[in-house]
Amino acid sequence: MIAFLRPLQSRYMKIPLALLPAVFLLAACNNNPAGNKEMNDSKYAGIPDRKWWKEAVVYQVYPRSFKDTDGNGIGDLKGIISKLDYIKSLGIDIIWLNPIYGSPNADNGYDISDYRSIMKEFGTMDDFDAMLKGMHERGLKLVMDLVVNHCSDEHEWFKQSRSSRSNPYRNYFHWWPSEKGKPPFRPGSFEVDGSGWRYDSLTNAYYLHYFSYKQPDLNWENPAVRKEIFDMMKMWFDKGVDGFRMDVIPFISKDTTFPVITQKDINEKYNGDWSQYLASGPYLHDHLQEMNKEVLSKYDVMTLAEGAGTTKATMMNFVDPDRHELNMAYHFDGVSLGYLPNEFKQMDPNGYKLTEFKKIYSDWDSVFAGKGWGTIYLGNHDQPRMLTRWGNDAPEYREASSKLLTTFLLSMRGTPYYYFGDEIGMNNIRFGKIEDYRDIESINMYKQIEKQGGDLQHFLNGQKISARDNGRTPFQWDASANAGFTTGTPWLKVNQNYTTVNVAAQEKDPNSILNYFRKMLKLRKEDPVLIYGKYTLLDKNNPDIYAYTRELNGKKMLVLLNFSKEKIDFALNGLKISGKALINNYTTEEVNNDAVNLQPYQSLIYETE
Ligand code: GLC
C-alpha cells in the first residue's frame, strides 16, 4: 500500500494514513486459447467467453528477493532462470514480475529511468531473452509490470523537461510556474511533507508527483507521451511478453487546470478517499481505449490494472469487455480490512471480523456475476505476508492456516494472484527498528511521525504487522546460510525461521504447505466448477466459518473454511456430501449426517448433491 502522508490519507484506502497496497486492473483482449491445453476439454463445454487468463493462476515473483546468483545480495534474472523448474512444478500458468527495468531504485524499480533496458542489478537484455525463452519452453507466460503513471526523475525525459521551460520535453510532465503562486494541494505518497508538488529552482516551477519526488507524473494529456508509452509497450510485446500488470493506472489522467480540491470535497464526493479523486481524471477511459486500440488489441495478451481508487461502482468501466479497455483489475477493499481509522496502518487489536471479510469478497464476486472477470489475492509486494495478516503464524497454527488461505484463494471465482513464498508459509519478519527497513514508505512515514512529535514506538509496533518489507524478505530456499538466497549480504534481512521454513524441507514432506498448494492447484485445474462455477455464500453471519458453494452444469462443490482456533460444527442444513473430502488440510475429517466438525483452521472441499 502507499499512503499519502500529509493528509494522513492513503491513496488506496479510506483509512487515513494507510499505505496504498497495490491494486491491479488487468485487461485481456483476445480469445486465443493457445497455451491452455484444457481450453478444448469437454468439461468446459457451454461456458461462454472462455479466456486463458481466466483459467490461469498467476504467481508473482518479486525479483529483488527471489534468487541471487552473483553474490551482490540482490536477486537477479539468472536466479529466476535457475528456478524455472521449481516454478513450473507448482502448476501455475503465468508469472508476474515486479519491475525489472533501468531504475535508481528509490521505490524498488517503480521509478523507471529507462523503460527499454534491464536494471543493472538484475542482469542484461540477453538474460531477459533467455528467461522469457525458458518460461515459454515450459508453457509459462510472462506478465511484466507497466509503471507509466510516473517515471524516475533520472529518466532522460525528465532531465530534459526540467532543463528549461521551452524544452520540447517540458510538457511530458505537469509543471506549475511559481508566478501563479503555490499549486493547489495534491497528495504525494512517500513524501515526508505529504505534498505531491515539488519546487524545482532550475525553472522556478513546481512539478507533480503522486508518489515520491523521485517519481514525477507523466503528462498523459500530451499525445507525444502516449505515443512513447504505446511504442514501448509494443517493443515488449514484440519480444513475446504475454501481458502487463498496470501500476496505479487509474491515476494517469489529470485535470490539468488543477482546481482547488479540499479535504471537505474529498469527504463529500469521494467518500473521504483521495485515491478515488485521483482515479477520476477526465480522459482516463479515453486513454485506456486508445491504448487498447493502438496496442493491446493487436496482441494475444492479458492486462491487469492495479485498481487504486476504483470502487464496486466504477470497476466495470475498466473491465467490461464491450468497452475494450482492460481485462482485470484488483481492488483494495479486502486488504484494507481491519485497520484502525485515523491511524497509519495500525491493525485493530481485535483483528478483523470474518463476517466483514466474507461480505467484501461476496460483494465483489457479484460485481462480475454478469460480465467482466474478477481477481483474488491476499498478499503482494505492497502487503504484509498473508499468513500473518489473515491466518495465524503461531507455530501450532501456521501450517493449517496457510493451507486454509490457499484453499480460499484457489477456490474462489476470479483469477488468483498468488505471491511467492506464500506457498511455503513465509510470514512477517516483524522488524523492531527503523534501521532494518528498506522501504521508502516505512522510512518516510517514520520521519513524518517523528517531525510531528508522534508516537514512534506505536508506529513501529504497527509496522510489524502491516509494513511492505514484511512481504519482501528473501525467499527461503533451504537451510543453508541466508536461506540459499545469496552468498553475499542480502539487501533485506532474511527471516530467521528459514532453517525450518524452506522449500528443500517441504519438498520432502508430502503433507507440507508447499505440497498442499500443488494439490489444491491441481484440484482447481481439474474441474471448471472452481473456476467458472456460480459462487453462493452460506451461513453469512457465522463468525468463524467461511462456507460457500460453487456450482456449474449440475455439479456442486462445498468449501468449508474454519478461520478460528476452535473446533466447530458446521450444520449442513440439508446439503448432502458425497464421499470423502476432495481436499483436506488435516489427515482426518469428521462428518455425520447433518454436520461437519471442523478442527482449528481446517479447510475442506466436498462434492455435494
Ligand atoms: C504501486 C506499486 C507500489 C509502488 C507504487 C508507486 O502501488 O504496487 O509498490 O510503490 O505503485 O509506483
Side-chain angles (χ1 to χ4, degrees), residues 1 17 19 339 344-347 384 428-431 434 437 439 441-443 445-446 449 456-470:
M1 298 192 291
L17 269 184
L19 299 188
Y339 288 113
F344 178 72
K345 280 170 86 178
Q346 289 285 343
M347 279 300 291
N428 277 13
I429 192 161
R430 296 185 170 87
F431 288 134
I434 194 67
Y437 285 97
D439 182 12
E441 178 182 79
S442 297
I443 294 169
M445 184 57 72
Y446 181 93
I449 293 172
L456 291 168
Q457 195 51 51
H458 178 66
F459 168 75
L460 286 173
N461 290 342
Q463 289 286 286
K464 287 183 184 174
I465 300 298
S466 58
R468 304 197 296 184
D469 275 346
N470 285 303

Side-chain angles (χ1 to χ4, degrees), residues 133-361:
K133 188 160 169 273
M135 288 176 182
H136 285 169
E137 278 168 1
R138 289 167 179 79
L140 298 167
K141 289 181 185 281
L142 173 64
V143 166
M144 302 263 281
D145 221 304
L146 184 79
V147 188
V148 288
N149 172 68
H150 47 269
C151 59
S152 163
D153 65 343
E154 296 180 37
H155 194 293
E156 189 55 32
W157 296 336
F158 190 73
K159 289 188 192 160
Q160 293 286 335
S161 183
R162 71 184 288 244
S163 65
S164 89
R165 288 191 180 190
S166 56
N167 187 282
Y169 287 89
R170 186 67 172 179
N171 288 330
Y172 270 46
F173 298 87
H174 297 284
W175 290 97
W176 179 276
S178 64
E179 307 83 272
K180 284 167 73 181
K182 276 200 156 185
F185 176 79
R186 292 292 180 274
S189 267
F190 304 156
E191 279 307 312
V192 180
D193 69 0
S195 170
W197 293 101
R198 185 174 179 94
Y199 178 69
D200 194 25
S201 59
L202 215 57
T203 55
N204 190 28
Y206 297 81
Y207 67 87
L208 183 72
H209 59 85
Y210 282 170
F211 294 88
S212 86
Y213 78 91
K214 297 281 296 170
Q215 296 163 291
D217 279 36
L218 284 157
N219 179 6
W220 272 73
E221 318 320 331
N222 177 350
V225 168
R226 301 203 296 276
K227 183 164 185 325
E228 296 264 19
I229 292 169
F230 297 163
D231 286 350
M232 174 272 288
M233 291 171 73
K234 285 184 199 153
M235 179 208 118
W236 290 103
F237 285 146
D238 289 340
K239 271 184 168 291
V241 165
D242 303 290
F244 278 121
R245 172 266 185 188
M246 301 189 180
D247 191 67
V248 292
I249 198 78
F251 293 177
I252 54 176
S253 177
K254 277 102 185 168
D255 177 346
T256 52
T257 64
F258 295 105
V260 171
I261 305 286
T262 62
Q263 188 61 43
K264 195 163 162 274
D265 298 325
I266 297 298
N267 294 344
E268 284 167 8
K269 293 190 219 147
Y270 301 98
N271 208 12
D273 180 4
W274 267 98
S275 64
Q276 288 184 30
Y277 168 72
L278 303 184
S280 55
Y283 301 106
L284 167 61
H285 293 287
D286 297 302
H287 297 334
L288 293 178
Q289 280 165 20
E290 185 182 328
M291 179 198 279
N292 189 299
K293 183 163 168 273
E294 297 299 322
V295 188
L296 302 174
S297 61
K298 301 190 168 142
Y299 299 88
D300 176 15
V301 293
M302 68 163 236
T303 51
L304 166 71
E306 185 193 23
T310 57
T311 63
K312 290 198 279 292
T314 60
M315 186 61 103
M316 201 51 77
N317 295 340
F318 295 85
V319 301
D320 179 345
D322 296 336
R323 290 174 60 93
H324 303 288
E325 296 187 22
L326 305 179
N327 300 135
M328 294 177 266
Y330 64 98
H331 65 80
F332 283 82
D333 289 354
V335 294
S336 305
L337 177 67
Y339 288 113
L340 291 172
N342 306 316
E343 294 209 49
F344 178 72
K345 280 170 86 178
Q346 289 285 343
M347 279 300 291
D348 186 326
N350 300 315
Y352 67 93
K353 280 209 175 86
L354 185 68
T355 44
E356 289 174 13
F357 184 92
K358 294 195 277 190
K359 181 166 170 27
I360 289 171
Y361 290 102

Side-chain angles (χ1 to χ4, degrees), residues 2 11-12 22 107 110 150 190 245 247 306 381-382 468:
I2 299 142
R11 282 178 306 140
Y12 302 70
D107 184 20
Y110 283 93
H150 47 269
F190 304 156
R245 172 266 185 188
D247 191 67
E306 185 193 23
H381 65 291
D382 290 330
R468 304 197 296 184

